[in-house]
Amino acid sequence: MAQCIPGLNHPKTLSGNVLSSISYCKTGPRWIKFLTMSSQQHQSQQLSLDALISSNRKEEVIGAVRHSLSNCLSETNLHLTVPALKSKTRGKVRDVYDGGDYLVLVTTDRQSAFDRVLASIPFKGQVLNETSLWWFDKTQHIAPNAVVSAPDKNVTIAKKCSVFPVEFVVRGYVTGSTDTSLWTVYKNGVRNYCGNALPDGMVKNQKLPANILTPTTKAADHDVPIAPDEIVKLGLMTQADYDEVSRKALSLFEYGQHVALEHGLILVDTKYEFGKGSDGTVLLIDEVHTPDSSRYWIANSYEERFRNGIEPENVDKEFLRLWFREHCNPYEDEVLPDAPTELVSELAWRYVFLYETITNSKFEIPLMEEPIHDRISRNVSLALASLQ
C-alpha cells in the first residue's frame, strides 16, 4: 500500500496560473513524485470528459466509424500471406503467429463477451494495440516487457517466452456483476477471496482499503479464481516467481491508477499476464490497461454518485453486453442477432475516447485505400526480414 505525504503546501505557479500541488508517494523503497490537479485543471479535464457524450471530435470519429463498418479486421490469415510465419493461434481478440524466434501478435476488431465473439468494432484492434504499446513504454521502470517492435498499427512483434498459466487480476474497488466478480462473491458472504481477507460492511463500488490481487487460472472457456498458496502447491509457479510477479502487478496497477487519475479517470481493476524470457527474466506480456483488460470510471463524478448510491459513470462495453442479454441468450443461442450499428459506433467511439484521454494524444484514423489485411501482411513481412 502506498504511503503518501504532501511535498509542498503551496501550489506551483506559472505566469500567475495555478497548476498543481506536489505530493510524494512511497512505492516499496522508492518515493515517486505525483502531481495533484488544481481546480483549474479539474475544470479543464471536466470539459474534455464531456466530449464522451457530445463533441465535434465524437462526430468526426463516429463518421469515420460508419465508413469503416465493412472494413473491420475480423479475421487474419497471415500464415498464408507471410512465408516466415509457421502457424496461427486464434484467441478471442488476438491472432498469434509463430515467427521462429518471435511471436507476431495481431489485434483484431473482434468484440468478445460471454466467451464468444459478439461483433466487430471498427478501429478497436488499433486502439488496443496502441494503448498497450503506450503503457508498455511508460511502465518499463516497473517491469520489463516482451515487445520487440510494432511494424503496423494492429501488430506487435514480441519475444517468445514461457508464459505463466496464471492471470494476475488486480482490484481497487468492490464491484462487478459476473459470477466471479468481487461484488458478487462479497454479497454472497465470501470474506476471504483468493487469499484476501475482506472487511464486513462494504457496499458495491466502494474503494477497497488497499488494492488486492485475485489471480485466476487460465482456461479455454472460463477463468477460475485461485489463492496464491494453491498456485504454488499445484506447481503453476514457484514461490519466488509468484512473489516477484505479484509485486510487479501491484506496482503496475498503482502506477496505472495515478496516471489514469491525472487524466480524469479511475482505473478500477485490470488483469496482467507475465512470462519468462530465455534468460530467465520475468516479462510483462499480452496487453496493459486497455479498455478490454481494464475497467475505467470517470473520476470527478465518482464520489457524489457513490454517496447517492448511483452507479459510477463508466467507459466500457457493458451497454453492448446488456443489449445481447436483453435480445437473446448469448451463452446458449447458436446464432446471435447482429449488434445495432448505433451501438457498434458508440463502442468504437468509447475505445478511441479512452485512448485519447489516457495518452493525451489524438488517435490516427487509418486510411482506407489499402485493405487492412494486405497492409498488415506487407508490414509484417518487412519487419521479420529486418530481424533476420
Side-chain angles (χ1 to χ4, degrees):
M1 185 172 178
Q3 183 182 357
C4 294
I5 59 172
L8 295 173
N9 292 323
H10 59 280
K12 301 281 281 185
T13 60
L14 180 65
S15 302
N17 293 323
V18 177
L19 294 180
S20 60
S21 60
I22 298 178
S23 63
Y24 294 84
C25 289
K26 190 174 185 182
T27 305
R30 296 176 295 116
W31 287 95
I32 302 176
K33 181 171 71 174
F34 293 105
L35 298 181
T36 304
M37 289 188 292
S38 67
S39 60
Q40 195 172 50
Q41 286 174 301
H42 277 297
Q43 184 179 11
S44 174
Q45 190 61 56
Q46 171 66 46
L47 293 173
S48 70
L49 290 173
D50 286 343
L52 176 62
I53 301 169
S54 177
S55 69
N56 290 335
R57 179 58 176 161
K58 179 175 181 178
E59 291 179 10
E60 178 186 2
V61 171
I62 291 287
V65 166
R66 288 176 176 156
H67 280 101
S68 303
L69 288 169
S70 61
N71 196 31
C72 288
L73 187 66
S74 303
E75 196 69 49
T76 70
N77 290 291
L78 297 190
H79 57 304
L80 304 179
T81 58
V82 181
L85 298 180
K86 301 175 182 177
S87 63
K88 169 187 173 181
T89 302
R90 188 183 191 272
K92 292 177 182 176
V93 175
R94 286 171 182 79
D95 292 338
V96 182
Y97 295 90
D98 186 340
D101 294 331
Y102 307 99
L103 292 177
V104 176
L105 295 88
V106 184
T107 310
T108 72
D109 296 330
R110 296 192 292 264
Q111 184 65 50
S112 175
F114 309 109
D115 300 318
R116 63 194 297 179
V117 174
L118 301 182
S120 292
I121 310 297
F123 313 148
K124 178 192 170 180
Q126 179 180 336
V127 167
L128 293 186
N129 192 54
E130 294 187 341
T131 300
S132 279
L133 289 168
W134 189 87
W135 281 109
F136 276 130
D137 180 63
K138 298 294 183 183
T139 58
Q140 291 183 76
H141 64 290
I142 299 173
N145 57 69
V147 175
V148 174
S149 68
D152 185 271
K153 297 176 186 298
N154 289 70
V155 178
T156 295
I157 296 179
K159 300 173 187 175
K160 276 188 174 178
C161 61
S162 176
V163 179
F164 295 119
V166 176
E167 291 191 352
F168 283 75
V169 181
V170 189
R171 306 176 188 271
Y173 294 77
V174 183
T175 192
S177 58
T178 64
D179 292 343
T180 57
S181 74
L182 190 54
W183 171 243
T184 300
V185 299
Y186 185 87
K187 73 176 180 179
N188 289 336
V190 174
R191 292 297 179 268
N192 191 300
Y193 190 54
C194 298
N196 299 285
L198 303 171
D200 289 325
M202 298 196 76
V203 297
K204 189 180 183 186
N205 303 324
Q206 185 173 349
K207 184 174 174 59
L208 288 160
N211 296 329
I212 62 172
L213 269 175
T214 58
T216 66
T217 57
K218 292 183 181 180
D221 52 353
H222 201 64
D223 296 338
V224 180
I226 187 170
D229 57 347
E230 293 179 277
I231 291 173
V232 176
K233 184 178 179 181
L234 292 173
L236 301 178
M237 298 177 72
T238 66
Q239 186 67 57
D241 284 341
Y242 177 82
D243 290 344
E244 180 179 353
V245 170
S246 61
R247 284 195 302 270
K248 283 180 165 59
L250 287 166
S251 294
L252 286 164
F253 187 68
E254 186 175 348
Y255 177 77
Q257 284 182 310
H258 284 293
V259 173
L261 194 57
E262 287 177 348
H263 295 85
L265 297 168
I266 294 173
L267 176 59
V268 179
D269 48 41
T270 195
K271 65 96 177 170
Y272 304 107
E273 295 190 48
F274 295 85
K276 260 192 176 181
S278 57
D279 61 355
T281 302
V282 171
L283 301 173
L284 180 62
I285 63 171
D286 196 45
E287 61 184 323
V288 189
H289 299 161
T290 70
D292 266 15
S293 67
S294 311
R295 192 192 317 262
Y296 286 98
W297 292 337
I298 292 177
N300 54 40
S301 61
Y302 165 74
E303 291 288 351
E304 181 179 357
R305 294 174 75 91
F306 176 71
R307 284 195 303 268
N308 293 322
I310 304 172
E311 285 292 307
E313 292 182 299
N314 62 71
V315 193
D316 59 29
K317 62 186 178 185
E318 187 64 18
F319 70 91
L320 188 65
R321 289 168 53 91
L322 291 174
W323 186 89
F324 275 95
R325 278 187 166 173
E326 291 168 2
H327 290 83
C328 64
N329 185 332
Y331 286 111
E332 297 181 8
D333 290 355
E334 185 175 341
V335 179
L336 298 182
D338 291 335
T341 298
E342 60 269 24
L343 295 190
V344 169
S345 300
E346 174 64 28
L347 186 52
W349 160 240
R350 288 181 176 222
Y351 275 101
V352 171
F353 172 82
L354 268 178
Y355 170 81
E356 295 190 336
T357 302
I358 291 167
T359 66
N360 196 30
S361 60
K362 189 173 183 179
F363 177 75
E364 186 178 334
I365 295 172
L367 301 175
M368 293 295 129
E369 285 88 350
E370 181 180 17
I372 300 177
H373 199 280
D374 292 351
R375 184 198 76 202
I376 291 174
S377 296
R378 174 171 48 80
N379 288 335
V380 169
S381 294
L382 291 171
L384 290 176
S386 69
L387 290 172
Q388 300 303 318

